[in-house]
Amino acid sequence: MAAKTTSSQPAARNPILRRTTATDTESVPSTADASPIGSPRQSASSTSLSSLASADAAKPATKQYGKLIDTYGNEFEVPDYTVKDIRDAIPKHCYERSYVKSMSYVFRDMLYLAVTFTIWHNFVTPEYVPSKAVRVVLWGIYTFLQGLFGTGLWVLAHECGHGAFSPSQRFNNVVGWVLHSSLFVPYFSWQISHGKHHKATGNMERDMVFVPRTREERARSIGRLAHELSELTEETPIYTFIHLLGQQLIGWPNYLLTNVTGHNYHERQREGRGKGKHNGYGGGVNHFDPSSPLYEARDAWLIVMSDIGLGIAFTALYFLGQKFGWSNMAVWYGLPYLWVNHWLVAITFLQHTDPSLPHYTAEEWNYVRGCAATIDREFGFIGRHLLHGIIETHVLHHYVSTIPFYNADEATEAIKPIMGRHYRSDVSEGPIGFIKAMWKSARWCQWVEPTEGAEGPAKGVLFFRNRNGLGVKPAKMAPPS
């Protein structure tokens, strides 16, 4: 049963489609969970609630933030509940993981891939489909379907990386390494950096994916000064389209190779590995080098194992290409692979980019706030059946990443009363709305800055702004003296 959620659309446009409102008037704890401090090293349980329980003991003093305004113009309040509140609300059976059930989904997705290939390979031929144009269309549909089924396997490997696949992390790692390697994903390398993302979601200095630019960074990227952004004319839609096209085509390999969209504070790496290194080509920050500042020295053998997995996959692909022809492999594997990359980037982008979402400076961030700085969306049958609910239950996943996806809907419903107004979802128009949200987020969410007039701690709570005249306008700034 699909979870019934509400949208994060602006309240001024539709007060019903905003956030979860049923619990807005209910009492919630007045303290927020402190940030879990320590090694960012990923482990099977490092992002689970149980591993963060000790953080509940330390709670920050109540701060006055004044009036905070998100991009829609809605007033924002900093979350005020704890990790323990979330954990206690979830039924215990939701934490249970099953070898049999999880593996059944792996076999199911593999069956989808095999049956689809068999049908197209044997029947979408000149003998059965004489029209070349029709065959081209049908093979295009094939690449789309295989891309969805491949993304489903990607998500199951993601479950393995979090320890949500089964009770055995060794079993999880074997399954995840095989599945991700077959999709040219460095399993352990990604597992470690992704774990750090979960430990620092929404933190401008530590998060690992889709960290937005600050106003100053945005201005520098287009050769302007920060105060000029509020005076610029609208960015052309064709520029937005080209940016989105590049993001969807090469965003994933670019992230693996250069850490694009991840934080760029590598000089702070505690072992000194980040000295002189930076994001970008040739910057020494990537997911393949054991000496990358994304990892600690003890991770080296895991990075090598990831590279070995990729080497085996490349070797298999080479021999298949030699045997069956590279044009066939391009259609059978290459184009579906691009679809997998597209869905991965689109899903991650929209989980963490929305006009209603905040980001935090290091001083104002904590774990509870970071997890709440994510959003659930709706992609219908494709999202819930083929992609295993990764789009629809992402908020819960950030709070408890070891809950298997087949229990995530129930757990999501359980935490909504605790999160109250802080739970965000955008389910308007279902799958069509999900696709539209890519364009909307690209146009509305260009950089982050504090609410205009913010003072004290409020300067550390940042919201998206843009130069396109959409939503709240950028703050007016005086030119530098």
Side-chain angles (χ1 to χ4, degrees):
M1 178 73 68
K4 184 178 180 181
T5 54
T6 55
S7 170
S8 61
Q9 295 295 323
R13 294 184 181 179
N14 191 339
I16 297 177
L17 299 178
R18 174 66 172 88
R19 297 171 185 160
T20 300
T21 55
T23 56
D24 280 0
T25 58
E26 295 175 12
S27 63
V28 291
S30 60
T31 54
D33 180 47
S35 167
I37 303 299
S39 169
R41 160 85 168 158
Q42 164 74 345
S43 68
S45 61
S46 63
T47 55
S48 68
L49 288 177
S50 59
S51 67
L52 295 166
S54 60
D56 281 325
K59 294 172 179 153
T62 302
K63 294 182 180 180
Q64 297 299 318
Y65 287 92
K67 193 170 185 179
L68 303 172
I69 304 296
D70 70 17
T71 319
Y72 286 129
N74 295 313
E75 191 165 351
F76 175 86
E77 295 182 18
V78 174
D80 53 1
Y81 48 86
T82 69
V83 169
K84 187 176 185 302
D85 297 329
I86 294 288
R87 182 184 64 235
D88 291 348
I90 299 171
K92 294 192 185 317
H93 64 265
C94 288
Y95 295 92
E96 295 174 1
R97 298 157 291 178
S98 166
Y99 292 97
V100 173
K101 193 167 188 176
S102 294
M103 282 303 299
S104 71
Y105 285 103
V106 173
F107 292 134
R108 186 204 73 177
D109 289 353
M110 287 183 170
L111 182 64
Y112 287 166
L113 288 165
V115 169
T116 302
F117 177 80
T118 300
I119 291 173
W120 259 256
H121 181 62
N122 289 297
F123 298 105
V124 185
T125 63
E127 291 79 12
Y128 290 95
V129 185
S131 171
K132 184 176 181 179
V134 174
R135 290 201 307 275
V136 169
V137 171
L138 290 174
W139 277 105
I141 294 172
Y142 164 90
T143 67
F144 174 75
L145 291 174
Q146 297 293 69
L148 289 174
F149 304 148
T151 305
L153 286 177
W154 203 108
V155 173
L156 294 176
H158 165 265
E159 292 269 299
C160 293
H162 281 294
F165 191 79
S166 81
S168 168
Q169 190 56 36
R170 178 174 295 179
F171 183 78
N172 295 340
N173 285 339
V174 170
V175 174
W177 181 76
V178 171
L179 294 179
H180 263 175
S181 296
S182 68
L183 295 167
F184 294 124
V185 178
Y187 172 74
F188 293 106
S189 307
W190 167 85
Q191 180 193 45
I192 295 167
S193 69
H194 187 67
K196 293 179 180 180
H197 157 62
H198 269 255
K199 285 189 171 183
T201 304
N203 186 316
M204 292 293 291
E205 297 180 15
R206 290 176 50 213
D207 200 354
M208 297 296 294
V209 296
F210 284 108
V211 179
R213 288 174 171 170
T214 63
R215 180 168 179 157
E216 291 71 21
E217 290 168 341
R218 174 71 178 185
R220 285 197 299 270
S221 73
I222 59 174
R224 297 282 188 164
L225 297 176
H227 75 278
E228 296 177 304
L229 289 187
S230 60
E231 304 164 1
L232 295 180
T233 56
E234 177 183 358
E235 185 176 86
T236 61
I238 188 63
Y239 179 88
T240 305
F241 174 77
I242 292 172
H243 171 79
L244 270 178
L245 184 64
Q247 172 181 289
Q248 297 311 120
L249 279 176
I250 64 172
W252 172 241
N254 196 24
Y255 171 70
L256 294 178
L257 288 167
T258 71
N259 198 47
V260 64
T261 80
H263 79 76
N264 203 17
Y265 290 86
H266 306 295
E267 292 278 353
R268 301 177 184 178
Q269 207 275 346
R270 60 183 181 177
E271 296 176 343
R273 295 166 142 246
K275 187 174 182 180
K277 296 183 179 180
H278 57 83
N279 294 349
Y281 289 99
V285 184
N286 62 70
H287 283 72
F288 308 102
D289 184 356
S291 67
S292 171
L294 299 179
Y295 312 110
E296 282 72 54
R298 61 184 174 180
D299 299 324
W301 75 277
L302 293 172
I303 312 309
V304 171
M305 282 297 299
S306 300
D307 294 343
I308 290 173
L310 296 180
I312 294 172
F314 274 114
T315 301
L317 186 64
Y318 172 78
F319 283 109
L320 289 171
Q322 291 292 95
K323 181 175 178 62
F324 298 106
W326 291 106
S327 59
N328 282 332
M329 292 306 300
V331 175
W332 295 347
Y333 183 92
L335 292 177
Y337 170 77
L338 292 180
W339 275 112
V340 172
N341 289 355
H342 157 73
W343 291 120
L344 169 63
V345 173
I347 291 166
T348 309
F349 175 58
L350 293 180
Q351 286 168 340
H352 301 283
T353 310
D354 185 81
S356 69
L357 297 180
H359 282 74
Y360 299 91
T361 62
E363 294 76 18
E364 296 306 318
W365 179 91
N366 66 36
Y367 183 76
V368 164
R369 294 172 186 177
C371 292
T374 59
I375 186 169
D376 288 341
R377 300 186 187 272
E378 178 63 52
F379 207 40
F381 173 82
I382 290 176
R384 294 188 175 276
H385 183 75
L386 300 183
L387 306 185
H388 308 295
I390 194 172
I391 294 169
E392 292 80 7
T393 59
H394 190 68
V395 176
L396 176 277
H397 173 69
H398 264 274
Y399 279 114
V400 201
S401 61
T402 54
I403 287 181
F405 74 90
Y406 41 79
N407 293 333
D409 273 330
E410 182 180 358
T412 293
E413 293 302 317
I415 69 172
K416 284 182 184 179
I418 303 301
M419 294 187 68
R421 62 192 177 278
H422 304 296
Y423 172 79
R424 287 172 180 76
S425 67
D426 186 349
V427 300
S428 58
E429 299 184 78
I432 299 301
F434 179 84
I435 300 300
K436 285 182 177 180
M438 291 183 62
W439 179 261
K440 180 177 184 178
S441 292
R443 296 289 288 175
W444 283 64
C445 306
Q446 295 187 325
W447 71 84
V448 293
E449 63 179 62
T451 300
E452 187 165 14
E455 297 291 342
K459 290 183 177 180
V461 186
L462 314 177
F463 298 95
F464 286 108
R465 299 292 186 256
N466 62 80
R467 56 181 279 194
N468 296 324
L470 299 169
V472 174
K473 296 182 182 299
K476 294 286 186 180
M477 296 177 63
S481 56

